[in-house]
Structure formats: C-alpha cells, structure tokens
Amino acid sequence: RARTDVAMAPRGFCTALALVLMTCASSAALAARRVATPRAPVARQAASMVAAGAQQNYDGARIGPPPDLPSLLLHNRIVYLGTGIVPQVTELIVAQLLYLQFESAEKHYYMYINSPGTVSADGMTGFETDAFAIADTMRYVKPEAHTICLGMAYGTSAMLLATGAKGKRACLPNGVIMMMQPMARAQGQASDLEIRAREVLYNRKVLASMLSDRTGQPVDKVLKDMSRTKYLNAQQCVEYGIVDRVLETAADLPAMPSFMNKL
C-alpha cells in the first residue's frame, strides 16, 4: 500500500522530497570534512606573514622567510661595501643610507669598506660618478658615518673612506689604501674621445678636491700623488689624513651586532 501511495503522490511532491534529501546529504558531507580537517588559523597567519615577508615569532619559533645577511647588517645600522662600485651597488648603498635616515636621523651608522673602487685588475667596473653619488648621499643624510677599512680601499673607495665623520674613520692593521686617478675607457671618433677625455680630467679634479677637503692635504699634492698609483698602509693612511686611527685591539672595535649573540 505504501508503494501505491508513493506512486499515487503528486510528481511535484516527489521532486521536492528528493531535493530535501540531497541538501541534507550535502550538509552532512560538508560537516564531516570540517571535522576531519579542523581550522588552522596559525598556519594561515604564518602563510600570510611569509607572503608579506614579515618576521614574527610564534611559540618561540621564527615565522617568516630567512633574512639575508645585508638585511641583518642593516638592522644593526651597518653598510658593507665589499665589491667594485658599479651602478647596482651604488643603487643599493644609496637606498640603505636613505633608509637609515628614515629609521633614525640621530643614530650613527657604520660603513665597512673592502673595495677596489671603480677600477679593478680586470679593467673598469664602474664610473666615478657612482662613487660620487654615494659620497654625496653620505654627506646629505643626517646620521653620522663611521667608516672602517678592512682589506683594501682603492681609488674612489679611499675617498669614501675619508668621507666618514672626522674622528670616526678607522682602518684595520693590515688594511691597504691606494690612491689613483680615474682611467678613460672610450672608443670611436676623435671628437668622442676628446669629450670623454675632458670628462675624465674633470672627474680627476673632483676626486682630488674631495680628498683634499677630507684629508687637509693641498689639492696639488693630492693630484701629484694620484698621478701614479700610491699605496698607503694603515699608519701612513692616518698620517695622510684619510683615516683617524688604526683599530689595533678588540677594545677599539665597534659594538658587536645584536644578532651575533643569537647565533
């Protein structure tokens, strides 16, 4: 009789009943999936932090992408020039200096220099104007620059070393400074070579003027010393006026970066 009643029921009623049963089944399946896979707000929060590049801690564990070394140094107000002065390096260092001023205009920063300047043994690596841009930014920003030479400071990088604040320029005992004049790299028509030659002579005059201003040496003497490569050891560098002291002992060294205590 039940089969007869169902068979005799209106077709619209049967369709509605089927839709209700399908909705209940879908709801039950969705609830089962939620129970099987509980919400993970911490995981989603961590994923969003990683996507945003944030550095947070949760339950003692670090959340976020591993920091690169320049970022760790910059967090401790340290700028490191450890390669030739090329446009890409200039862009990075200028940006770091501007950021340090934005972070705090009152706190000083350290600039460690181990650079062949704009000229290397293989030839030119950059233009003198790249070094001039860094030097101008160092003098433009308010934070005081503490420059330290480790290894070498050749050519324009020696000028950056001398651009640090007076009394805050230093060199490690085995550091070597080399003074040299800009070198031309040009080819083409005679008129193009002439234009480039005038530019090189102008850059030499600017470089000598900047060194004279920072060292107290006469411009003529600086130009004469730059006419051929002139090497200076750490003590000679102090006598010339490029740096103010040699860091002989651990007590002379700057404060250790904070992240070193956590390694």
Side-chain angles (χ1 to χ4, degrees):
R1 180 177 178 81
R3 292 180 179 178
T4 303
D5 294 342
V6 172
M8 295 175 63
R11 182 176 299 178
F13 173 78
C14 294
T15 303
L17 181 61
L19 291 174
V20 171
L21 293 176
M22 291 174 61
T23 303
C24 293
S26 300
S27 300
L30 180 60
R33 286 197 299 269
R34 288 179 177 176
V35 173
T37 57
R39 294 182 180 180
V42 175
R44 285 198 299 272
Q45 183 182 9
S48 63
M49 288 179 179
V50 171
Q55 178 178 342
Q56 301 290 335
N57 290 328
Y58 177 78
D59 196 20
R62 185 182 178 281
I63 300 175
D68 56 298
L69 186 55
S71 297
L72 284 174
L73 295 175
L74 187 63
H75 179 69
N76 288 268
R77 304 186 69 81
I78 294 175
V79 177
Y80 177 52
L81 174 58
T83 184
I85 303 176
V86 296
Q88 295 84 349
V89 175
T90 300
E91 179 184 8
L92 175 61
I93 292 181
V94 168
Q96 288 177 329
L97 296 178
L98 295 176
Y99 170 78
L100 290 175
Q101 171 164 277
F102 170 79
E103 184 187 45
S104 175
E106 307 301 328
K107 297 180 181 178
H108 65 270
Y109 66 91
Y110 296 99
M111 176 179 285
Y112 290 85
I113 298 175
N114 180 26
S115 170
T118 53
V119 181
S120 66
D122 300 329
M124 265 60 68
T125 60
F127 293 96
E128 288 73 27
T129 49
D130 292 322
F132 296 163
I134 297 175
D136 288 343
T137 307
M138 291 172 65
R139 292 185 294 183
Y140 166 75
V141 298
K142 292 183 179 180
E144 193 176 58
H146 294 205
T147 54
I148 301 173
C149 173
L150 48 114
M152 62 178 172
Y154 290 177
T156 51
S157 61
M159 178 269 294
L160 295 179
L161 177 64
T163 305
K166 293 289 185 67
K168 306 297 182 180
R169 304 167 302 178
C171 181
L172 294 183
N174 295 314
V176 178
I177 288 81
M178 181 181 71
M179 300 177 60
M180 60 182 299
Q181 61 180 328
M183 297 178 62
R185 50 174 175 179
Q187 58 182 0
Q189 304 179 45
S191 57
D192 295 333
L193 296 177
E194 183 182 3
I195 292 172
R196 179 55 186 162
R198 288 200 301 266
E199 183 66 16
V200 171
L201 292 175
Y202 174 77
N203 288 339
R204 182 183 67 172
K205 182 179 179 180
V206 172
L207 182 59
S209 176
M210 297 175 74
L211 277 172
S212 173
D213 178 65
R214 303 305 299 176
T215 62
Q217 301 289 345
V219 177
D220 293 340
K221 175 176 173 53
V222 175
L223 285 172
K224 181 179 179 181
D225 293 336
M226 288 172 49
S227 61
R228 291 291 184 269
T229 54
K230 182 180 181 66
Y231 290 91
L232 302 173
N233 59 31
Q235 189 57 42
Q236 291 172 335
C237 193
V238 174
E239 297 171 358
Y240 201 92
I242 297 177
V243 298
D244 304 297
R245 61 192 178 117
V246 180
L247 302 179
E248 297 282 358
T249 64
D252 297 329
L253 298 176
M256 182 180 297
S258 60
F259 70 88
M260 295 294 293
N261 298 324
K262 301 179 182 179
L263 296 180

